Amino acid sequence: MLRDALLIAGKDLRLELRSRVALNQVLPFALLVLVLFAFALDPDRGLLARATPGLYWVAVLFSALLALQRSLSVESADGNRDALRLSGLDPAGIFLGKVLAVATQLAVLEVLLGVGVAVLYTTRITGWVLLAVTCVVATASIAAAGTLFGVVAAGLRVRETLLPLLLLPVLAPVLIGATRAFEAALAGSPSEGWPWVGLMGVFASLYIVAGVFGFGPLLEES
Amino acid sequence: MTTEAHRQDIDSTGSNGTRVLGIAALIAMAALALFGLVLSPADANQGEVVRILYVHVPSATVAYIGCFLTTIGSAVYLWRRSRWWELVAYASAEIATVFTSIVLVTGMIWGRPTWGVYWVWDARLTSTAMLLLLLLGYLAVRRLPADHEVRTRRAAIVGLLLVPNVIIVRQSVQWWRTLHQKPTLLANGVGAKIEGLMLFSLFVGFIAIGLVFAWLLIHRFRLAWLEDQLDEAGLDVAIAERRAEGAAS
């Protein structure tokens, strides 16, 4: 299972390295969202500074939607879904591999977006440990839930509109949790952030387990 | 002969059992109107507005029951390939959506005179709104323009995760709001002491709404079952027609 996961993750990341879709399109989009927030909220009145953690995670969520669509459209073209099914790879391994690849791309995006926030919104960054752990669990949550619901929506004509409808309400706890944890870290009181990390940990575990068991039936059909 | 008997069957989704149930629901609703609107007194704090709660609270309860049925039905479907349970999940999700909307609307109407606003970012309100969105997501998948098998299998995965999602959303929203303010808003509403006729009216509300829920659910389930049969029969009829065309030419 793990070997299959690494194989699939390697394949997806190699695809990304060669096509650079996430780097050339998703990342600029994320930075664009940051700039748009600055236009919408007047940066001089301190609104932007207070809302920074929330804006950061909304930008991550929207970019994650794009990254997920990309990760799934790779599999739907040219009957790749059938090829995956015939490959003899463990469905759980395929799921974990896709999650790993998306999570890796999101992690890179989060670091660069973090630099963007620090520069554009002049945020003073404190509480590094909490920030890093929050990023890890939140990214795992987004990637796991996103891949599972992405496959639910995959291969359908309505998938672009269906995925956000399915995924965003489900990810609401992650947005709340990651935002509060970031607020706690930036406010210099990390102890308030750790319960949120725990909640997101439960969320990520739930979706990884659901994906490991649910991916087989989802791939088999049609 | 058999087709005639069959046609008799599908004239309506009613049966003697559901007719009795339906009449009982009507009587209970009439009793609820009588007790809720006339006999029970106005609340000391909330005044006449309290009467909305006789519908609001039971609706919330049956909406939750519908969600549980959806998750259980989806789980059994995935586990046992039971079509019956799949349709139970689908039917209860639809009815739960209706009752969740009723909860939100009656809650807002109640909130405007009581709190002075239609909406507050209270834990219960927010998680109910999220519940409605999650249900709409399930229904969107279940009604996809795709193969029957694709629709049901994918919807079942979403349905299976419905209750876990609701629990996590509730937990997160609870923490989120309680960090800022204590959830005192509802404390003098539902949680406050109720007794006498008001308690009895609420009890009548539970019975009436519960009966309506059961009646709607049974009919919706039968309708879904017939739709299912029609899908299959339609295919058979089409095949038979094409074969007849082939034989004629």
Side-chain angles (χ1 to χ4, degrees):
Chain A
M1 188 170 91
L2 281 180
R3 219 175 45 94
D4 291 355
L6 289 178
L7 204 64
I8 292 283
K11 169 195 77 96
D12 274 15
L13 291 174
R14 220 162 23 246
L15 262 177
E16 169 52 31
L17 272 183
R18 288 179 192 165
S19 68
R20 304 241 164 86
V21 170
L23 189 72
N24 288 342
Q25 288 169 24
V26 180
L27 181 66
F29 170 78
L31 293 175
L32 180 63
V33 172
L34 285 189
V35 177
L36 289 181
F37 280 140
F39 291 157
L41 308 170
D42 191 346
D44 288 337
R45 275 181 297 173
L47 265 175
L48 208 52
R50 261 182 295 147
T52 298
L55 299 181
Y56 174 82
W57 282 107
V58 170
V60 169
L61 268 191
F62 286 158
S63 320
L65 279 178
L66 294 186
L68 284 163
Q69 302 273 24
R70 164 73 186 161
S71 154
L72 294 156
S73 68
V74 165
E75 303 300 348
S76 62
D78 303 328
N80 267 351
R81 205 180 163 96
D82 293 329
L84 263 189
R85 202 159 44 197
L86 292 173
S87 65
L89 294 174
D90 187 351
I94 299 177
F95 171 74
L96 291 178
K98 298 295 281 184
V99 171
L100 198 60
V102 170
T104 312
Q105 294 174 34
L106 281 182
V108 173
L109 184 110
E110 279 164 19
V111 170
L112 295 174
L113 204 57
V115 174
V117 163
V119 172
L120 293 175
Y121 296 180
T122 42
T123 312
R124 261 200 58 228
I125 295 179
T126 52
W128 285 97
V129 181
L130 181 58
L131 290 181
V133 178
T134 304
C135 278
V136 170
V137 284
T139 308
S141 306
I142 296 172
T147 306
L148 185 60
F149 283 107
V151 171
V152 167
L156 302 162
R157 268 164 299 167
V158 293
R159 65 168 185 274
E160 284 89 357
T161 43
L162 185 61
L163 182 61
L165 172 65
L166 287 178
L167 190 58
L168 291 179
V170 165
L171 284 179
V174 177
L175 177 62
I176 297 175
T179 306
R180 295 315 126 189
F182 263 40
E183 273 176 4
L186 293 182
S189 50
S191 58
E192 282 171 23
W194 289 110
W196 290 109
V197 172
L199 184 83
M200 286 187 284
V202 172
F203 185 96
S205 329
L206 171 75
Y207 271 92
I208 288 171
V209 171
V212 163
F213 288 105
F215 216 68
L218 277 176
L219 270 186
E220 269 167 33
E221 64 164 41
S222 70
Chain B
M1 193 57 212
T2 47
T3 51
E4 198 56 35
H6 206 67
R7 190 158 297 160
Q8 286 281 312
D9 243 356
I10 57 177
D11 262 350
S12 95
T13 52
S15 63
N16 284 337
T18 54
R19 266 171 222 127
V20 172
L21 189 64
I23 291 167
L26 276 179
I27 294 171
M29 285 308 271
L32 176 61
L34 181 70
F35 278 100
L37 293 176
V38 183
L39 294 181
S40 71
D43 187 72
N45 297 322
Q46 300 171 25
E48 304 290 347
V49 191
V50 75
R51 302 180 194 282
I52 286 182
L53 295 181
Y54 302 138
V55 173
H56 177 79
V57 179
S59 300
T61 312
V62 296
Y64 280 127
I65 293 174
C67 292
F68 273 106
L69 280 177
T70 300
T71 292
I72 294 168
S74 301
V76 179
Y77 172 67
L78 285 176
W79 180 37
R80 286 271 177 85
R81 295 269 164 277
S82 154
R83 224 163 186 188
W84 196 89
W85 277 104
E86 202 280 324
L87 293 174
V88 169
Y90 177 37
S92 24
E94 262 190 15
I95 310 292
T97 309
V98 171
F99 277 102
T100 309
S101 315
I102 291 177
V103 170
L104 286 173
V105 171
T106 52
M108 282 195 239
I109 295 172
W110 180 82
R112 183 72 176 87
T114 314
W115 301 332
V117 286
Y118 285 109
W119 190 263
V120 289
W121 290 98
D122 173 77
R124 265 195 251 199
L125 273 74
T126 313
S127 53
T128 310
M130 296 308 291
L131 171 64
L132 181 66
L133 291 170
L134 291 169
L135 280 167
L136 289 178
Y138 171 86
L139 290 180
V141 176
R142 185 57 180 68
R143 291 169 175 170
L144 282 175
D147 283 355
H148 186 269
E149 174 76 5
V150 172
R151 267 188 295 156
T152 55
R153 190 85 64 94
R154 294 184 183 193
I157 298 273
V158 180
L160 181 67
L161 290 165
L162 184 66
V163 167
N165 276 329
V166 171
I167 293 170
I168 293 189
V169 167
R170 238 192 116 77
Q171 188 60 46
S172 64
V173 175
Q174 202 107 35
W175 278 359
W176 170 44
R177 291 322 298 178
T178 45
L179 284 180
H180 293 258
Q181 58 178 67
K182 292 193 179 92
T184 48
L185 282 172
L186 283 165
N188 53 16
V190 187
K193 277 177 287 177
I194 36 174
E195 46 198 16
L197 260 181
M198 295 175 88
L199 185 62
F200 186 73
S201 301
L202 188 61
F203 179 68
V204 174
F206 272 108
I207 292 177
I209 301 288
L211 286 172
V212 170
F213 174 74
W215 187 83
L216 283 172
L217 185 60
I218 292 172
H219 278 280
R220 187 63 190 89
F221 171 80
R222 286 181 179 163
L223 192 61
W225 180 264
L226 290 175
E227 279 170 355
D228 224 36
Q229 306 284 357
L230 187 67
D231 271 357
E232 278 182 8
L235 191 63
D236 287 345
V237 168
I239 290 172
E241 274 174 3
R242 296 295 94 77
R243 283 213 176 116
E245 273 173 19
S249 63

